[in-house]
């Protein structure tokens, strides 16, 4: 009587944070994995889930110049150990297969958190805003810890983290934009702040942050964020923020001025003098929420006195 092969079983793997493999819901121990090299081999295959990875590529990645004539046999021995750990008694039909002179993990038999992140983001791109926001929030919570957090000293892990960080940044920006569409300005600010922390040179993230503060009725916070952005861009890029950020900055200045009689007078004086210098004359309407120069009753002398007094007090305060 022939032996019936063991049924294929799903393994679940966590790559975000501390590496963990579970078989039948039970986590495998470090002893089950038989050392660092087998774990690294499995991690490389997981990063390429569903795509064959050649023996030569694995050897080049993990052994580099230290590879020898016996390295292939060592790799094959490690692969046998991995099979025993993740699919005992099921070498043919388990997740780990031999393919094209290398090895591949069957995505149908591996529940991988990194793959779930990508699937959630992909679904969000095709969903209505409210559903998309739920999917993006789930993806970002899933990826909150660093990818391959146990492998901080290896170039191949650094490269994987860099790729995933770019995907996470894009998801944060998408979450902020979606929250703004749903009229959730505080949520838009939360994701934009995380995006700015991920990449302080990303102008799209800064724009979402500043406009999020604007829609939240927090002009002081928005102005502070714009000032930080301008400083970073000038220091690291040698340029100023773009037109969209500058427009948001101007709206915040007006919003702040309208909340303060003194600042409102200063803004009116600046508008009056700007119109005078540009030759537009008095009586033309300004932007929303601003009085025209004629309606303000200002003269060149009064406008100058308001600005001089304001600047004098500002110097004393500094």
């Amino acid at each position: 009587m022939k032996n019936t092969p063991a049924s294929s079983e799903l393994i679940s793997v966590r790559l975000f944070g501390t590496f963990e493999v579970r078989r039948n819901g039970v986590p495998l121990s470090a002893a089950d994995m038989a050392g660092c090299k087998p774990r690294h081999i499995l991690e490389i295959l997981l990063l390429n889930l569903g795509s064959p990875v050649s023996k030569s590529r694995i050897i080049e990645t993990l052994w580099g110049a230290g590879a020898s004539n016996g390295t292939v046999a060592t790799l094959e021995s490690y692969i046998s150990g991995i099979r025993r750990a993740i699919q005992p008694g099921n070498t043919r039909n388990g997740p780990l297969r031999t393919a094209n002179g290398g090895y591949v993990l069957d995505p149908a038999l591996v529940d991988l958190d990194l793959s779930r992140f990508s699937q959630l983001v992909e679904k969000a791109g095709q969903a209505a805003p409210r559903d998309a926001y739920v999917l993006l929030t789930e993806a970002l919570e899933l990826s909150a810890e660093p990818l391959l957090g146990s492998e901080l000293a290896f170039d191949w892990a650094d490269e994987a983290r860099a790729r995933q960080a770019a995907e996470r940044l894009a998801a944060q920006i998408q979450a902020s934009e979606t929250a703004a569409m749903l009229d959730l300005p505080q949520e838009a600010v939360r994701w934009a702040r995380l995006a700015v922390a991920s990449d302080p040179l990303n102008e799209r993230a800064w724009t979402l942050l500043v406009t999020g503060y604007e829609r939240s009725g927090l002009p002081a916070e928005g102005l502070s964020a714009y000032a930080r952005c301008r400083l970073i861009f000038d220091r690291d890029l040698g340029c100023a923020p773009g037109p969209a950020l500058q427009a948001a900055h101007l709206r915040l200045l007006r919003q702040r001025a309208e909340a303060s009689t003194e600042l409102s007078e200063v803004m009116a004086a600046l508008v009056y003098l700007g119109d005078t210098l540009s030759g537009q004359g008095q009586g033309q309407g300004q932007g929303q929420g601003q009085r025209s120069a004629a309606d303000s009753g200002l003269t060149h002398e009064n406008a100058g006195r308001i600005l001089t007094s304001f600047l004098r007090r500002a110097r004393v305060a500094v």
Side-chain angles (χ1 to χ4, degrees), residues 70-90:
T71 304
V72 171
T74 301
L75 171 60
E76 292 171 347
S77 174
Y78 285 148
I79 288 291
S80 296
I82 294 171
R83 281 197 173 106
R84 286 193 299 271
I86 67 174
Q87 54 197 60
N90 194 10

Side-chain angles (χ1 to χ4, degrees), residues 99-162:
N100 300 329
Y103 307 100
V104 63
L105 284 169
D106 184 351
L109 298 177
V110 180
D111 176 21
L112 179 64
D113 56 356
L114 180 61
S115 294
R116 278 188 279 127
F117 169 86
S118 299
Q119 292 163 4
L120 287 166
V121 172
E122 183 179 357
K123 288 180 181 178
Q126 302 169 355
R130 194 164 299 281
D131 293 333
Y133 188 67
V134 173
L135 293 167
L136 289 166
T137 299
E138 184 179 349
L140 289 166
E141 289 175 349
L142 178 66
S143 61
E145 295 186 72
L147 183 71
L148 294 167
S150 304
E151 316 296 356
L152 300 179
F154 301 97
D155 291 342
W156 58 270
D158 288 339
E159 292 170 4
R161 272 190 291 273

Side-chain angles (χ1 to χ4, degrees), residues 168-251:
R168 179 172 165 80
L169 172 63
Q172 289 169 334
I173 289 174
Q174 188 180 352
S176 181
E177 290 175 335
T178 307
M181 291 175 59
L182 296 171
D183 196 23
L184 300 170
Q186 293 181 347
E187 289 295 289
V189 165
R190 178 166 73 96
W191 294 120
R193 288 180 63 183
L194 289 171
V196 165
S198 299
D199 182 6
L201 299 180
N202 190 297
E203 185 164 354
R204 190 174 171 189
W206 280 108
T207 302
L208 287 165
L209 180 59
V210 172
T211 55
Y213 280 131
E214 177 190 2
R215 291 168 182 167
S216 299
L218 300 170
E221 288 80 354
L223 291 170
S224 176
Y226 179 85
R228 295 197 308 275
C229 173
R230 184 175 60 181
L231 178 65
I232 292 171
F233 278 30
D234 180 62
R235 181 191 66 201
D236 296 345
L237 300 176
C239 67
L245 260 176
Q246 292 183 27
H249 180 235
L250 180 58
R251 292 194 301 270

